[in-house]
Amino acid sequence: MNGKKYRIALAGNPNTGKSTLFNQLTGLRQHTGNWPGKTVAQSKGYFEHKNEEFEIIDLPGTYSLIANSMDEEIARNYIAFEQPDVTVVVLDATSLERNLNIALQVLEITDKAVICLNLIDEAAKKGIEISEAKLQKKLGVPVVKISARNKVGISSLLDAVLSVVKGLLPLSPFKMKYGDEIEERIEELLPDIQSIYGSHLPARWIALRLLEGDERIIDELNAKLLNEKKGGHSYEFASGEY
Ligand SMILES: Nc1nc2c(ncn2[C@@H]2O[C@H](COP(=O)(O)OP(=O)(O)O)[C@@H](O)[C@H]2O)c(=O)[nH]1
Ligand SMILES: [Mg+2]
């Protein structure tokens, strides 16, 4: 044990088996509280794999990360601002078309992701065949099939998690391309976003939110900035300028 704790976030739609996986991994080493300042429950737990210690957070299940609800806001803010060492996106292998949406949204925020196809037992019963290799090539991050309830594939999933947190894999996450006009405006915004908020935040994703006119992201970023710089920064993004 080298003492370093890697942080994992579990993201995905409701009912994809996130809590089942969380419980399998952590057993009794878990506790439930609330998200800071919120009435939404937060489950945090701990486990070890190959002599490394992990802390894992079970994010609220959401269909998207555009912050239409408290759950979505919590999930996206955790991934974007708290920056876990890896986000494991748990997808229901029996309805991939619907589930891939959240995977793409996570990949827009972070490069450090593993896609976990759960419920492969159910998928097999329905005759659904999924090529992990093809999906992995398209998405640019590891894709691992599991059945959380039947404890199938868990160690492969953890090996993938470990290689991502240790930076052992070349990751090239799929980034959605928008039209030329939007891409140009993203390019225009990037230098300002990077110089104001630093290079550790997901600048492209922030640019997209600003172009959407997402006012809450501006408040979140300004609060974060104030916190980090203790009021020492005079320029802030103002709402409604984009
Ligand atoms: N057949 C099957 N059911 C599963 C598997 N993993 C989870 N489930 C079931 O799927 C349902 C939703 O699981 P849960 O962990 O609560 O999903 P969450 O909403 O993503 O946290 C529960 O009834 C689980 O028992 C699996 O690998 N195979
Ligand atoms: Mg759950």
Side-chain angles (χ1 to χ4, degrees):
M1 189 71 52
N2 66 17
K4 166 124 174 76
K5 253 189 208 131
Y6 293 110
R7 276 183 306 127
I8 304 176
L10 281 183
N13 293 355
N15 262 323
T16 56
K18 291 179 301 302
S19 300
T20 306
L21 176 62
F22 177 85
N23 289 330
Q24 296 279 9
L25 292 172
T26 60
L28 294 174
R29 292 183 68 192
Q30 54 171 268
H31 56 83
T32 308
N34 273 355
W35 285 90
K38 306 275 198 302
T39 52
V40 178
Q42 182 198 68
S43 302
K44 199 187 264 190
Y46 304 90
F47 68 92
E48 280 150 32
H49 179 65
K50 299 203 166 148
N51 276 342
E52 300 288 356
E53 241 188 292
F54 291 89
E55 177 190 285
I56 182 164
I57 291 213
D58 193 7
L59 296 176
T62 58
Y63 292 103
S64 99
L65 293 173
I66 41 183
N68 279 330
S69 67
M70 180 93 74
D71 283 355
E72 290 186 12
E73 193 176 310
I74 288 172
R76 85 162 192 191
N77 286 358
Y78 190 79
I79 300 169
F81 302 141
E82 303 305 321
Q83 303 190 315
D85 297 295
V86 60
T87 298
V88 173
V89 192
V90 183
L91 306 185
D92 177 348
T94 69
S95 61
L96 256 199
E97 350 50 85
R98 179 165 55 110
N99 275 251
L100 276 171
N101 185 21
I102 191 138
L104 295 183
Q105 289 190 41
V106 168
L107 295 183
E108 210 153 52
I109 305 179
T110 178
D111 292 357
K112 292 181 287 180
V114 170
I115 308 298
C116 167
L117 303 178
N118 189 30
L119 295 123
I120 49 159
D121 53 318
E122 287 294 326
K125 272 189 215 159
K126 293 185 176 175
I128 298 169
E129 285 174 29
I130 300 167
S131 163
E132 282 158 299
K134 276 190 193 159
L135 202 52
Q136 183 160 313
K137 208 163 169 217
K138 278 226 168 328
L139 296 177
V141 296
V143 174
V144 185
K145 288 185 191 174
I146 72 161
S147 170
R149 202 167 70 186
N150 300 309
K151 302 187 187 175
V152 171
I154 309 289
S155 63
S156 307
L157 174 65
L158 295 181
D159 286 347
V161 160
L162 197 56
S163 26
V164 170
V165 299
K166 290 196 159 188
L168 299 176
L169 281 181
L171 302 169
S172 55
F174 177 86
K175 300 281 180 219
M176 193 88 77
K177 283 270 176 273
Y178 298 85
D180 286 349
E181 193 188 332
I182 294 174
E183 290 294 336
E184 272 166 32
R185 299 191 65 187
I186 294 171
E187 286 302 315
E188 279 169 27
L189 285 171
L190 285 180
D192 278 354
I193 293 170
Q194 275 154 353
S195 76
I196 296 166
Y197 297 115
S199 54
H200 60 295
L201 292 180
R204 180 180 166 84
W205 176 78
I206 292 170
L208 282 163
R209 302 288 74 76
L210 293 177
L211 290 170
E212 264 180 3
D214 180 337
E215 310 239 322
R216 260 169 314 176
I217 196 86
I218 298 169
D219 296 339
E220 294 280 349
L221 284 166
N222 287 341
K224 197 171 164 60
L225 196 65
L226 273 178
N227 233 352
E228 278 172 14
K229 311 230 161 138
K230 295 275 177 252
H233 209 294
S234 57
Y235 182 77
E236 290 185 1
F237 273 110
S239 306
E241 278 181 12
Y242 306 89

